[in-house]
Amino acid sequence: MPELPEVETVVRDLRPLLVGRAITAVTVGKQKLRRPWVKKWGGYFTGKKVTEIRRRGKYILILLSGGGKGVLGDGVEGVLVVHLGMTGQFTVNAATDPLPTHTHLVFDLSDRKHLRFRDPRRFGQVLWYPDLAAVEVCVTDKLGPEPFDIPAEQFEADVRGSKRTLKAILLDQSVVAGVGNIYADEALFRAGLHPERRGETLSLAECDRLRMAIETVIARAIAGRGSTIRDYIGGSGLRGQFQNEHAVYGRTGEACVTCGRGIERVVVGGRSSHFCPKCQPRGKVK
DNA sequence: CTGTAATCCTGCGAGC
DNA sequence: TGCTCGCAGGATTACA
C-alpha cells in the first residue's frame, strides 16, 4: 500500500507527535512479522528519546538517543527502521483508544500516548540498528535516488541501458527509491509511455519526460496526503486523498481524462498496470 | 540479463 | 445468505 507519498505523510504526521518523547515501554504481539525480532528488544528502547524522524524511499527511520542499555556514546544510539509493506499502519493514539486487531507493536510514550504498528497482512518490517552507519549498510545504501533529485545522467543510463520494461524499471528501488505500483502507472501516463516499452527504446527526450513525470506525480501525491485504496491511513489516522486524482490506477474501463478512451489493464512483471492505449502508445511516436 | 511464478499473509468485493 | 475466486500500495527467491 504505502509508497513514498504515503510514507512521507506518515513521517510528517508522526514528527510533531514523537520527537522529544521518550519510549517508556514496549509491548510485542505474538504473531511473527517478516524478520526475527525478540522480546528483549524492549530493553533497547525503553528510556530512549526520539530525536528525529526521517524517510528514505519507503522506509521510516526513527532516531533514538539516551537511556536503554548496551549502547554507548553521544548522538544516535539506536534507529528503529520501519517498512509498512502492503498494509502497515504506524500511528500515534490515545492510550484509551480501542486496540484494533493485527496490532503487533505498542510503544508507550512519555506523554502517555501510544505509538502503534498495525499490519493485517504482516508484510511489513520493524527493524532495529545500533546507529545510522548500520542502517546505511543494511538498508539505505541499496536504494536509488529520491524522486526529487534524480541525476538525469544516471537515470538515462539506468533506463536506456536496460532491456527491461519501463514498469519493471520504475518498480526497481535501486533505480528510484519510493515508487510503487500506483505511482509507476501514474508517472507513465503523465509521460505518455506504455508500461511495456523497453528502457533501451526510449529517446533522451522521452527519458527526461519520464524522470520529470515521476517527480511531479510524487510531489502532487504528497500534497494530497497519499492514496487510500483500502487500508492506508496517515500517522494521525487520516485517510489519503490522492486516489481521487488518479488518471489510470484503478480506473480500468473508465474514460481517459485526456482523450476519453477506455483505460486498459495488463499484467507486467506480475503487477497489474493501468494505461490509456491512445495516450500511451506501445511504440515510439517520434 | 530477462521474465514469470511462487512465497510471505489477511480481507474484501464480485459473482454465482 | 453463503460460498469460492481473484485480487490487493511490497519485496525476495527460485527457476526457465
Side-chain angles (χ1 to χ4, degrees), chain A residues 61 79-81 128-141:
Chain A
L61 277 55
V79 185
L80 202 51
V81 176
W128 167 255
Y129 296 96
D131 52 42
L132 280 175
V135 175
E136 284 167 17
V137 171
C138 299
V139 183
T140 54
D141 278 356

Side-chain angles (χ1 to χ4, degrees), chain A residues 9-23:
Chain A
T9 302
V10 168
V11 164
R12 290 183 184 183
D13 286 351
L14 291 181
R15 199 168 275 136
L17 297 169
L18 285 184
V19 171
R21 276 69 158 184
I23 292 170

Side-chain angles (χ1 to χ4, degrees), chain A residues 24-44:
Chain A
T24 58
V26 182
T27 310
V28 181
K30 291 185 181 123
Q31 292 196 293
K32 270 190 188 169
L33 289 186
R34 303 227 76 182
R35 293 288 174 93
W37 53 336
V38 276
K39 294 257 165 81
K40 61 182 174 188
W41 267 24
Y44 295 133

